[in-house]
Amino acid sequence: MASVTFDHATRVYPGSETPAVDALNLEVADGEFLVLVGPSGCGKSTSLRMLAGLEDVNSGRILIGDRDVTDVQPKDRDIAMVFQNYALYPHMSVADNMGFALKIAGTPKAEIRQRVEEAAKILDLSQYLDRKPKALSGGQRQRVAMGRAIVRSPQVFLMDEPLSNLDAKLRVQTRTQIASLQRRLGVTTVYVTHDQTEALTMGDRIAVLKDGLLQQVGTPREMYDTPKNIFVAGFIGSPAMNLGQFKVADGKANLAETHIPLTREVLDSLTAEDNNEITLGFRPESLDTTTEGDVGAFPVTVDLVEELGSDAFVYGQLANKEAAQAITSGAGESQMIVRVDPRRPPLKGDTVWVKIREGEQHHFSPATGLRLPS
Ligand SMILES: Nc1ncnc2c1ncn2[C@@H]1O[C@H](COP(=O)(O)OP(=O)(O)O)[C@@H](O)[C@H]1O
Ligand SMILES: [Mg+2]
């Protein structure tokens, strides 16, 4: 087993002005499950492919353990990769599919058989070893793809959106299986996904990328509780965090009839560039319903109620039409999301008064997008 280090790793594709991955610095500990997450095109696959040796590194280095592998051939890196399109060989049995890489490497037949059987046991595939892929379910095929990686007992697993081809229910099931399998095998894993729920549920730590730039690395809890900037705040969490532009005056953040007190520390960390404005973030579950007149309360018009049984979410807008534009969420322009009591949800068209629970708002500089100390 081994750690993985990206040391200012940069990839500029030929013909492109801007790097697809820009001076990536990231250390993955031995045995760790690290998830690289971000929107489509942010450089996740490129990062993984640099680690695999499938993509040139234009500057910087990549290390596996203490070994600089920047110029090492992919086959000599002791890694195994699972892709989104993990096409299995249709004419080969499950066992032959799983053992193929070992066969190519000239591993003796008996040893291949033994390693395939071991992996099959771990993956619950023992009774399918003689079947052809077409006689398997989607989930079983996905496990065969995992098996191909496991039999090689590599130092590092690389996975690029390996669950994308599964339906929603199977994806949830399989992500738990992969996470627990990784913990059991203890093999250092770099896992790529665009799905922040997958990242939160699977990773020991999460690294968020945007436009080729690393935004933040941390445990799921850290990413959720203390996002470093507005982008991470809006990206991590489902339903998404509400983000509002407020005017700063009299020590408060003000928007229409809403006046939210700010601490001295927050006020002091604003600069002239912020232009007497502040961006406040508040998660749907950080809002309490209250009554008109409560200090800091603001009215929200209900557009839609999403009832999930265990939870209910109001999708609405700030009732003050002029101010409504100032608050957005990942759900859409000028929309706000409020978690409400699922046993007593409001109705479409109602007005609910809500208030940010004390200490649960996030403060950001509108000028830099960075989190303010509070
Ligand atoms: N082979 C390539 N040649 C040129 N540009 C590429 C190539 N592969 C990816 N890119 C560009 O690099 C950026 C990052 O791509 P990628 O790493 O595939 O993103 P992700 O996996 O996060 O969706 C994108 O802008 C993409 O268009
Ligand atoms: Mg990709």
Side-chain angles (χ1 to χ4, degrees):
M1 285 195 286
S3 59
V4 165
T5 308
F6 290 89
D7 175 16
H8 295 87
T10 300
R11 174 65 178 144
V12 186
Y13 284 108
S16 176
E17 304 267 293
T18 48
V21 176
D22 195 352
L24 176 63
N25 283 321
L26 185 60
E27 283 193 40
V28 188
D30 186 14
E32 186 176 27
F33 194 127
L34 182 110
V35 180
L36 263 181
V37 67
S40 177
C42 71
K44 304 179 296 292
S45 294
T46 303
S47 304
L48 204 66
R49 290 171 59 82
M50 283 196 286
L51 173 54
L54 301 172
E55 210 62 76
D56 283 344
V57 178
N58 299 102
S59 64
R61 301 184 306 159
I62 300 213
L63 289 87
I64 297 179
D66 297 331
R67 181 171 167 233
D68 184 339
V69 296
T70 315
D71 298 314
V72 173
Q73 286 295 310
K75 65 176 176 42
D76 298 324
R77 293 192 184 200
D78 200 5
I79 49 154
M81 203 154 170
V82 183
F83 295 97
Q84 173 182 347
N85 298 311
Y86 46 78
L88 304 174
Y89 301 108
H91 58 284
M92 284 188 202
S93 68
V94 167
D96 289 343
N97 264 288
M98 281 169 66
F100 190 66
L102 298 179
K103 188 175 166 193
I104 295 295
T107 311
K109 258 195 175 145
E111 189 185 335
I112 297 179
R113 188 71 204 175
Q114 188 205 337
R115 280 159 77 167
V116 166
E117 278 173 6
E118 272 170 24
K121 212 161 148 194
I122 295 172
L123 292 162
D124 222 355
L125 288 171
S126 299
Q127 73 257 50
Y128 307 111
L129 282 176
D130 295 325
R131 284 205 195 168
K132 296 278 164 59
K134 69 172 189 306
L136 299 178
S137 70
Q140 288 163 342
R141 273 183 229 150
Q142 207 285 335
R143 298 215 296 281
V144 176
M146 290 291 300
R148 283 198 301 207
I150 291 173
V151 294
R152 298 172 56 193
S153 42
Q155 299 215 61
V156 187
F157 285 134
L158 308 186
M159 304 188 194
D160 194 347
E161 315 234 11
L163 307 183
S164 303
N165 289 342
L166 304 180
D167 64 52
K169 190 167 171 219
L170 199 53
R171 209 153 54 214
V172 172
Q173 218 178 326
T174 312
R175 81 179 181 222
T176 340
Q177 284 169 357
I178 292 182
S180 75
L181 178 66
Q182 191 276 342
R183 252 127 242 174
R184 193 139 47 104
L185 299 173
V187 177
T188 312
T189 301
V190 183
Y191 183 103
V192 160
T193 178
H194 65 273
D195 178 347
Q196 60 83 37
T197 309
E198 236 171 81
L200 282 172
T201 52
M202 297 178 82
D204 291 322
R205 285 190 309 151
I206 302 173
V208 175
L209 278 177
K210 178 186 176 246
D211 300 334
L213 291 165
L214 182 62
Q215 305 290 306
Q216 185 174 359
V217 192
T219 63
R221 188 38 67 193
E222 285 164 354
M223 306 300 279
Y224 195 80
D225 287 348
T226 49
K228 257 191 183 165
N229 60 38
I230 293 175
F231 177 77
V232 176
F235 186 75
I236 296 285
S238 174
M241 187 189 282
N242 303 294
L243 289 159
Q245 285 290 103
F246 290 69
K247 296 248 179 275
V248 178
D250 305 326
K252 298 191 181 82
N254 307 285
L255 181 64
E257 50 280 279
T258 312
H259 308 283
I260 299 167
L262 299 171
T263 62
R264 173 76 5 230
E265 202 171 3
V266 168
L267 289 164
D268 286 349
S269 54
L270 289 165
T271 65
E273 277 71 50
D274 292 315
N275 224 350
N276 291 319
E277 293 199 357
I278 189 166
T279 305
L280 293 188
F282 39 100
R283 297 204 178 273
E285 70 271 26
S286 292
L287 292 165
D288 284 323
T289 44
T290 180
T291 48
E292 184 172 356
D294 196 356
V295 179
F298 46 97
V300 175
T301 311
V302 178
D303 292 334
L304 176 91
V305 182
E306 188 180 66
E307 295 196 55
L308 302 170
S310 59
D311 274 315
F313 293 98
V314 161
Y315 290 74
Q317 289 203 4
L318 208 58
N320 183 316
K321 288 278 171 282
E322 272 160 55
Q325 300 298 325
I327 300 187
T328 60
S329 86
E333 288 299 300
S334 70
Q335 194 154 44
M336 258 184 71
I337 312 174
V338 184
R339 187 170 76 180
V340 293
D341 185 346
R343 288 161 302 185
R344 275 166 294 158
L347 299 172
K348 185 177 165 173
D350 281 357
T351 298
V352 287
W353 286 80
V354 300
K355 188 177 166 173
I356 305 172
R357 204 170 304 133
E358 202 162 323
E360 294 196 15
Q361 73 219 27
H362 302 254
H363 309 91
F364 300 99
S365 154
T368 63
L370 294 175
R371 182 182 195 83
L372 299 170
S374 59

